[in-house]
Amino acid sequence: MANFYTDNPDLEFQFSHPLMEKIVCLKEQGFSDFGKYDYAPKDAADAIDSYHRVMEVFGEICADVLDANAAQVDETGVKCSNGKVTYAPGTVENQDVLIKAGMYGMSLPREYGGLNFSIVPYIMAAELTARADASFSNIWGLQDCAETINEFGSQDIKDEFLPRIFKGASCSMDLTEPDAGSDLQSATLKATWSEEKGMWLLNGVKRFITNGCADIKLVLARSEEGTKDGRGLSYFVHDRAWGGVTVRRVENKMGIKGSPTCELAFKDAPAKIVGERRLGLIKYVMSLMNSARLGIGAQSVGISEAAYRAAFKYAQEREQFGHPIIEFPAVYQMLSNMKARLQASRAVLYETGRFVDLTKAYASIMAKEKLSPQQRGEYKLYSRNADMLTPILKLFSSEYCNRDTYDAIQIHGGSGYMKEYQVERLYRDARITSIYEGTSQLQVVAAIRYVTSGAYSQLLKEYNSDCSMGQFSTLAGKLSDGICELDRIVDFCNSKSKSFIDYHSRALVEMAGNLILSHLLIKEAQRNSDMKASAELFTAQALASNASHSLFIMNFTEENVSSIERNYSSKCEQDVGC
Amino acid sequence: MRVVVLAKQVPDTRTVTKDAMTPEGTVNRAALDAIFNPEDLYALEQALRLKESNGCEVIVLTMGPERATQILKDSLFRGADHVILLSDSRFAGADTLATSYALATAIGKLSPDLVLAGRQAIDGDTAQVGPQIAQELSIPQITYATEISLADNCTIRVKRAIERGSEIVESSLPALVTVTSSAARPRSANARSVMRYKNFTAFEKWSVDTIGGDLNRYGSAGSPTKVRNIENIVFTAKESKVVNPDDASLENLITELIADHTIA
């Protein structure tokens, strides 16, 4: 029987990371559930063993059910008639199998029916679902909404909704509106308090809502009349059973066709508030968004894994000029690059996951008791690292997954362009990853401040000292020079105008990201010799790419940048009248 | 209501390698993975569905060596309430008749309302054990089941696969039903159950002493089947022939096959 977890040793390897024990101990808080729940672990080793065993089951389901259904799900897509959305039969089966296997509410506390797993196995499950069917990974991954309810909802809201999510109730997060995409603070869907009903009533339109037909919806809405910015927005939970929400249409998309993307009309839809008024966007959505970005990172890595495997298999089987094409440098060059990018993406995915784990664990302790000064220091460090790495993860993994699927088709030649081959679907599914949950361009906006402030550079120096001993010391030396070069370019940019930095921000963030991913790969290679080839290749390419970026930044002057800026801002005035 | 599911641990004959047979012509069990007989999983799934809809107790019973507890643990992971290993050196050399007698004797101790089994095991492929148990217990048997439900408290309704379609039959309880792989897909292990039972070792073990019965009907003494010889047949590919998809070519092929007595 195929198994997407056991066929990929790079996954189990993540459970052996030195921080895992600490993560589990913090998550289980003294293992106090042991004895109270017959499936709770007695110590860290027991918990990690359970992660491993549950992932074995999960990997089997992904291979035998989700992957087997994926082509049919893509072909059938979703239907919407009279406001009712119908999933493809394969999607329904996927859900049913995972509910019976108890795989919903994975990271929720046991008191709500959850497994109380750390983020690491949770994102691993997300990666596995995406390798099988990226469209289904969206539907499954929306259990993230439970995390938000658990973190910020009142006790009543938690008791009302969380146990249902474990039983498989589907979720959606309703943020985007026709005129509020990347600019969410201009959301206008209106929330008004109804004394008569004792509930809030929602009115307006939401657009591009993944799984908008869900049972439980988290909705961003304007509760403060007369406000125009993010501070007037609050967060609400709506139960489909309360009525008032109609699916107007589902989008006809290029990829992830099994996941319904809905346009929704809210008409006096009853809702309850989650957390405090006015914190909807600035606190809760930001937190949910970070989890969602981690999820897209996992989805991207899953798609890349599928693309690499399909390309590798095809290259072994396809013969030309009397040889399997994998023997040709032009082909193995592509494959080795794909593998290096894939392993680098995975390294930053789980590194970010670990930091998110530690941050959430300390935050949950903090809600009950005061942290010691040492714990407070660690909390600050881990949450800063999580914030810094999330945009790097989202940017790099999604862009890489686009490239990997592109290359996978290239290796398949003309066959890869045909619907009969899996890579055709992977290519279409990959395209959205660098767009939704914050475009690549928005990730750059989120990350650039850590470049200019020197925060990435500081993190890189810590990583570099971890790499400087042992077999990778030479490589670490080269990377150390790379960090100096980054510092030099950053100093140079900091002495220039804001427009200059804005223009070059993508290149600057890529430089920092290249160095971060290189270090993380080397750190993994120190513990796992299978990563060595990728670590060496990725680092060499990262340094070459940084040299090119730095040459461009140094040579493309303030004047060059201004003339482009003038060109486009004047065009905008003339053509669009904005 | 109590349902007993019969399960067997079998060598995974779906992935046969060249060392799958010993030079003596018997199955080389060491070379093949030991798995849960696939159709028995379909039987377990039907039992678990009855548990969900009617709240019955599901007991999985297997006869085999100690390592067969692997499939018992798997049964617990999937939702069985109770598992029993029937194991005794006095069962050695049992053919399907002696096996059926041993299992029927053990089932008699459990007084179930319903006994479920897979249609057949992938090692022997006889499909005899289920029906022989029903015979031994003098209870009705229904084979080739694809769906099982309760019509009322003492009647079972079974959809069974027949040539060119299906039929729905009813039977009084207790009864024995064998299930095919066109029934509902067996569920996976459940995450919580995996964590609950992963270190479970306290399997209930039954022997001849537990179940009693006629000692002359167990093991080789109770087995009328005697294997004289097993031949290892090696299929060799000869040159292939391409037949065009038109009437004339098919006509020629049929003439040729009749001529060399491949078909009559």
Side-chain angles (χ1 to χ4, degrees):
Chain A
M1 289 228 243
N3 189 316
F4 283 2
Y5 172 72
T6 54
D7 74 3
N8 186 356
D10 291 359
L11 296 176
E12 192 184 350
F13 170 67
Q14 294 299 334
F15 291 142
S16 70
H17 190 277
L19 271 177
M20 260 335 271
E21 193 177 328
K22 183 184 182 115
I23 288 169
V24 171
C25 289
L26 283 169
K27 179 80 188 173
E28 292 291 346
Q29 295 190 19
F31 297 91
S32 52
D33 275 356
F34 181 66
K36 209 151 78 182
Y37 299 91
D38 61 1
Y39 59 95
K42 64 176 192 297
D43 54 30
D46 189 17
I48 293 170
D49 178 59
S50 286
Y51 293 170
H52 168 64
R53 287 170 189 256
V54 170
M55 283 304 116
E56 279 183 339
V57 176
F58 205 97
E60 191 177 299
I61 294 173
C62 286
D64 287 348
V65 185
L66 273 58
D67 186 58
N69 285 335
Q72 172 254 320
V73 167
D74 178 59
E75 202 182 318
T76 314
V78 289
K79 307 265 180 306
C80 178
S81 67
N82 298 326
K84 190 178 170 357
V85 174
T86 314
Y87 295 115
T91 305
V92 177
E93 187 185 26
N94 297 345
Q95 258 170 328
D96 181 53
V97 168
L98 285 170
I99 291 168
K100 283 195 173 129
M103 299 296 184
Y104 280 85
M106 208 174 240
S107 58
L108 279 182
R110 293 184 183 88
E111 59 180 307
Y112 299 118
L115 304 181
N116 204 46
F117 275 15
S118 95
I119 295 292
V120 168
Y122 174 59
I123 54 175
M124 195 176 284
E127 182 194 326
L128 289 168
T129 54
R131 177 178 154 195
D133 177 355
S135 77
F136 186 74
S137 74
N138 279 350
I139 297 170
W140 183 82
L142 275 161
Q143 57 178 293
D144 270 353
C145 292
E147 282 281 313
T148 309
I149 294 175
N150 187 39
E151 268 178 62
F152 304 115
S154 65
Q155 194 60 44
D156 285 350
I157 297 233
K158 287 193 218 182
D159 292 343
E160 184 175 354
F161 291 97
L162 294 182
R164 288 174 56 196
I165 293 173
F166 165 69
K167 290 187 186 120
S170 57
C171 302
S172 68
M173 52 172 183
D174 303 6
L175 311 178
T176 304
E177 294 179 10
D179 294 317
S182 291
D183 180 20
L184 271 181
Q185 59 175 348
S186 58
T188 58
L189 189 119
K190 211 167 149 187
T192 39
W193 174 252
S194 159
E195 281 296 342
E196 186 195 333
K197 294 204 163 148
M199 283 175 110
W200 291 82
L201 296 178
L202 307 179
N203 282 286
V205 175
K206 290 281 178 189
R207 188 185 176 204
F208 292 165
I209 305 304
T210 300
N211 209 30
C213 50
D215 303 311
I216 298 170
K217 311 170 79 55
L218 288 176
V219 188
L220 182 69
R222 191 161 296 281
S223 55
E224 314 305 316
E225 219 181 329
T227 57
K228 288 211 163 3
D229 63 5
R231 285 166 296 183
L233 298 169
S234 302
Y235 215 25
F236 297 89
V237 59
H238 166 83
D239 185 332
R240 190 168 58 151
W242 297 338
V245 180
T246 319
V247 180
R248 278 192 191 163
R249 58 189 288 249
V250 291
E251 306 293 339
N252 183 8
K253 304 192 297 295
M254 171 181 177
I256 52 166
K257 284 172 169 283
S259 149
T261 306
C262 306
E263 186 173 296
L264 305 171
F266 288 73
K267 201 172 173 202
D268 287 336
K272 295 181 179 178
I273 196 157
V274 176
E276 289 175 42
R277 278 169 79 156
R278 294 172 175 270
L279 295 183
L281 180 70
I282 52 183
K283 187 164 180 192
Y284 310 137
V285 171
M286 280 307 156
S287 157
L288 182 61
M289 199 58 109
N290 268 341
S291 306
R293 286 174 183 168
L294 194 61
I296 304 307
Q299 183 178 47
S300 303
V301 173
I303 297 172
S304 287
E305 177 74 38
Y308 175 71
R309 281 176 186 263
F312 185 81
K313 182 165 178 280
Y314 186 83
Q316 279 181 314
E317 289 166 0
R318 171 74 173 165
E319 285 191 14
Q320 287 289 274
F321 308 106
H323 292 273
I325 61 169
I326 200 165
E327 291 176 12
F328 298 117
V331 174
Y332 64 66
Q333 186 253 3
M334 274 192 279
L335 282 169
S336 56
N337 284 340
M338 286 170 79
K339 187 172 185 181
R341 289 193 294 259
L342 165 63
Q343 292 187 323
S345 301
R346 184 174 285 122
V348 72
L349 170 65
Y350 290 98
E351 179 80 346
T352 312
R354 286 186 287 269
F355 290 140
V356 172
D357 249 334
L358 290 161
T359 309
K360 279 182 189 269
Y362 277 126
S364 119
I365 297 173
M366 218 157 47
K368 291 178 198 153
E369 58 193 81
K370 218 174 154 210
L371 295 181
S372 69
Q374 191 206 336
Q375 286 177 318
R376 238 187 355 262
E378 286 191 357
Y379 170 68
K380 273 174 107 170
L381 172 78
Y382 293 134
S383 79
R384 185 205 63 162
N385 286 356
D387 287 345
M388 284 204 302
L389 287 187
T390 301
I392 295 291
L393 162 69
K394 169 73 170 63
L395 172 67
F396 276 76
S397 64
S398 65
E399 293 290 343
Y400 283 173
C401 128
N402 274 285
R403 276 172 72 181
D404 292 341
T405 53
Y406 176 97
D407 283 356
I409 289 190
Q410 196 67 21
I411 288 168
H412 279 68
S415 298
Y417 196 64
M418 306 302 158
K419 291 264 180 199
E420 284 78 7
Y421 283 83
Q422 181 201 11
V423 287
E424 184 272 341
R425 166 170 58 85
L426 297 177
Y427 183 70
R428 287 184 287 108
D429 286 350
R431 190 60 192 88
I432 191 65
T433 59
S434 55
I435 299 170
Y436 61 9
E437 309 304 355
T439 58
S440 289
Q441 288 64 32
L442 275 185
Q443 304 311 311
V444 170
V445 171
I448 187 66
R449 60 175 176 269
Y450 302 117
V451 182
T452 52
S453 70
Y456 282 135
S457 174
Q458 194 191 331
L459 177 68
L460 279 166
K461 282 165 193 153
E462 288 162 27
Y463 282 155
N464 196 261
S465 75
D466 294 342
C467 300
S468 59
M469 305 295 274
Q471 59 168 322
F472 295 103
S473 56
T474 316
L475 220 47
K478 287 182 186 167
L479 283 171
S480 175
D481 295 343
I483 299 169
C484 292
E485 176 64 9
L486 175 68
D487 288 344
R488 187 177 75 87
I489 295 292
V490 169
D491 285 346
F492 173 76
C493 289
N494 281 340
S495 69
K496 302 282 173 185
S497 69
K498 185 174 175 302
S499 302
F500 185 83
I501 296 176
D502 286 347
Y503 181 80
H504 286 298
S505 58
R506 174 87 185 235
L508 287 165
V509 170
E510 283 188 7
M511 285 179 78
N514 280 335
L515 294 171
I516 290 170
L517 268 57
S518 299
H519 280 95
L520 291 175
L521 260 182
I522 292 175
K523 276 161 70 88
E524 296 214 333
Q526 285 174 325
R527 299 190 298 118
N528 180 355
S529 56
D530 290 348
M531 303 279 181
K532 188 167 178 265
S534 285
E536 287 169 350
L537 175 59
F538 191 89
T539 304
Q541 289 189 330
L543 291 170
S545 159
N546 281 11
S548 154
H549 280 318
S550 114
L551 206 58
F552 177 63
I553 294 170
M554 297 301 284
N555 285 318
F556 204 68
T557 62
E558 288 259 27
E559 262 175 37
N560 297 134
V561 170
S562 317
S563 76
I564 289 186
E565 193 182 6
R566 271 197 305 277
N567 216 358
Y568 279 91
S569 43
S570 59
K571 256 215 172 81
C572 179
E573 275 163 28
Q574 286 162 13
D575 300 350
V576 197
C578 56
Chain B
M1 182 174 171
R2 173 177 277 184
V3 181
V4 168
V5 179
L6 301 174
K8 185 180 185 187
Q9 191 179 41
V10 292
D12 191 354
T13 53
R14 295 169 304 183
T15 50
V16 172
T17 50
K18 62 179 187 322
D19 54 353
M21 300 294 278
T22 61
E24 294 77 42
T26 58
V27 175
N28 179 10
R29 285 175 195 273
L32 295 166
D33 287 340
I35 59 163
F36 205 123
N37 181 48
E39 284 187 325
D40 297 348
L41 281 174
Y42 286 84
L44 176 59
E45 176 61 26
Q46 289 300 315
L48 294 172
R49 283 173 179 236
L50 286 173
K51 179 179 166 178
E52 279 164 358
S53 58
N54 298 82
C56 58
E57 179 193 17
V58 176
I59 300 175
V60 175
L61 171 68
T62 189
M63 180 170 141
E66 180 72 25
R67 74 165 182 173
T69 52
Q70 285 166 353
I71 65 166
L72 294 181
K73 195 178 257 194
D74 195 2
S75 304
L76 290 170
F77 289 169
R78 289 170 200 259
D81 299 300
H82 195 66
V83 293
I84 300 166
L85 174 70
L86 183 60
S87 191
D88 195 311
S89 56
R90 285 170 279 183
F91 294 140
D95 67 0
T96 64
L97 189 67
T99 302
S100 305
Y101 176 68
L103 285 167
T105 312
I107 292 166
K109 304 280 285 181
L110 293 164
S111 313
D113 302 282
L114 180 65
V115 181
L116 297 181
R119 179 187 51 134
Q120 65 188 44
I122 55 169
D123 53 353
D125 276 339
T126 66
Q128 290 168 355
V129 171
Q132 284 174 167
I133 289 171
Q135 184 75 19
E136 183 65 37
L137 292 171
S138 302
I139 57 172
Q141 56 167 297
I142 301 170
T143 52
Y144 296 101
T146 56
E147 267 178 55
I148 303 172
S149 59
L150 284 181
D152 58 52
N153 275 346
C154 45
T155 315
I156 197 164
R157 181 174 294 154
V158 177
K159 186 174 177 184
R160 61 191 298 267
I162 54 173
E163 275 185 62
R164 299 199 194 94
S166 60
E167 64 177 5
I168 291 170
V169 295
E170 287 189 352
S171 162
S172 60
L173 292 174
L176 181 142
V177 181
T178 65
V179 181
T180 76
S181 56
S182 44
R185 176 204 287 276
R187 72 195 58 199
S188 303
N190 175 280
R192 281 193 204 181
S193 303
V194 166
M195 293 188 270
R196 189 176 292 138
Y197 293 113
K198 62 180 187 173
N199 298 318
F200 183 79
T201 51
F203 294 100
E204 186 166 340
K205 287 171 195 162
W206 287 9
S207 66
V208 169
D209 300 328
T210 326
I211 60 172
D214 179 355
L215 281 177
N216 292 323
R217 296 186 64 190
Y218 290 130
S220 44
S223 301
T225 315
K226 303 289 174 225
V227 178
R228 275 218 195 128
N229 180 33
I230 296 175
E231 278 180 45
N232 198 354
I233 297 171
V234 181
F235 292 104
T236 48
K238 293 186 181 157
E239 61 182 277
S240 58
K241 179 173 177 169
V242 177
V243 180
N244 292 324
D246 54 59
D247 287 344
S249 307
L250 287 175
E251 200 73 39
N252 286 340
L253 176 68
I254 289 166
T255 314
E256 199 180 312
L257 290 175
I258 290 173
D260 71 5
H261 302 292
T262 305
I263 56 174

